[in-house]
Amino acid sequence: MTLDTTLNRDISKLFPSASLSREITKELGTTLAYSYRIDRPNYSSLNPFVYYLDPFTYERGNPSLTPAFTHSMKFSLTYEKQPFFNVEYKITKDAMVELTEQDDEKGESNLTTVNLESFKNLNISLFFPIEIKGISGYGGFIANH
C-alpha cells in the first residue's frame, strides 16, 4: 500500500567547530577543541518497509527518526605534535541506536533504529610508543564511560 505522506524536517542551524593549540615546551603541547555536529539518519533507517533476513528475523525502518545533534569537547596533550593523552566528552540529543525487539507469540525478532533522548560519553585515552627488537609502533589504553 502506498502512503501519500511527506515529512519535512528543515534544519536551520550553525554547526561551529573551534580548536586552540599551545606549545608548552618544544616537544610538549596542548589542544582544546569544541564542535557541534549533526548526524542524519540514512535512507534504510527511515524506510518504513520490512526486509526479511529469514522467516523469523526482519529489519524495519523508522520514518519517525530525527537527526542527532552532538556537542563535543576535547582536551589533548601532544608530544612532538602527536596526541598521547586525550579526554573527550560528548553530549548527544536524539542519539540513534539500533534496537532489537522480540515477539514471543509470533516467534519473530526484528531490528529497528530509534532515537534516545540523550546520550553522554566520556572517553579517556593514553598512547605510547613501543619498540621491541627493531619493531616500532604504538600501544595504548582507552576507557569509555
Side-chain angles (χ1 to χ4, degrees):
M1 185 163 88
T2 303
L3 300 176
D4 186 16
T5 304
T6 302
L7 296 173
N8 288 324
R9 293 194 181 103
D10 296 327
I11 299 169
S12 299
K13 292 186 176 194
L14 291 175
F15 297 96
S17 294
S19 177
L20 298 171
S21 296
R22 179 165 174 97
E23 283 188 5
I24 298 172
T25 67
K26 188 175 180 179
E27 293 87 17
L28 196 62
T30 63
T31 301
L32 187 61
Y34 167 81
S35 69
Y36 183 49
R37 306 260 169 103
I38 184 171
D39 182 18
R40 293 178 178 88
N42 61 36
Y43 176 76
S44 62
S45 296
L46 292 168
N47 188 343
F49 300 109
V50 172
Y51 174 72
Y52 278 90
L53 304 170
D54 61 46
F56 305 106
T57 312
Y58 62 91
E59 291 183 25
R60 64 181 164 83
N62 179 357
S64 303
L65 276 178
T66 58
F69 297 93
T70 302
H71 292 276
S72 175
M73 292 123 318
K74 186 174 186 178
F75 171 78
S76 298
L77 286 174
T78 59
Y79 182 75
E80 294 181 352
K81 304 204 186 299
Q82 298 296 316
F84 72 91
F85 177 74
N86 301 298
V87 177
E88 184 173 23
Y89 186 65
K90 294 180 180 181
I91 302 169
T92 303
K93 180 183 175 290
D94 293 327
M96 291 178 279
V97 296
E98 290 184 337
L99 176 68
T100 303
E101 300 172 315
Q102 181 174 313
D103 185 337
D104 290 333
E105 289 179 18
K106 293 181 181 178
E108 293 180 338
S109 64
N110 70 78
L111 176 72
T112 190
T113 304
V114 297
N115 288 110
L116 291 179
E117 185 176 326
S118 69
F119 178 75
K120 296 175 183 172
N121 179 265
L122 174 65
N123 179 290
I124 300 172
S125 56
L126 175 66
F127 300 101
F128 47 86
I130 298 175
E131 192 161 331
I132 302 171
K133 297 182 183 178
I135 299 173
S136 62
Y138 285 91
F141 297 101
I142 300 173
N144 254 317
H145 178 71

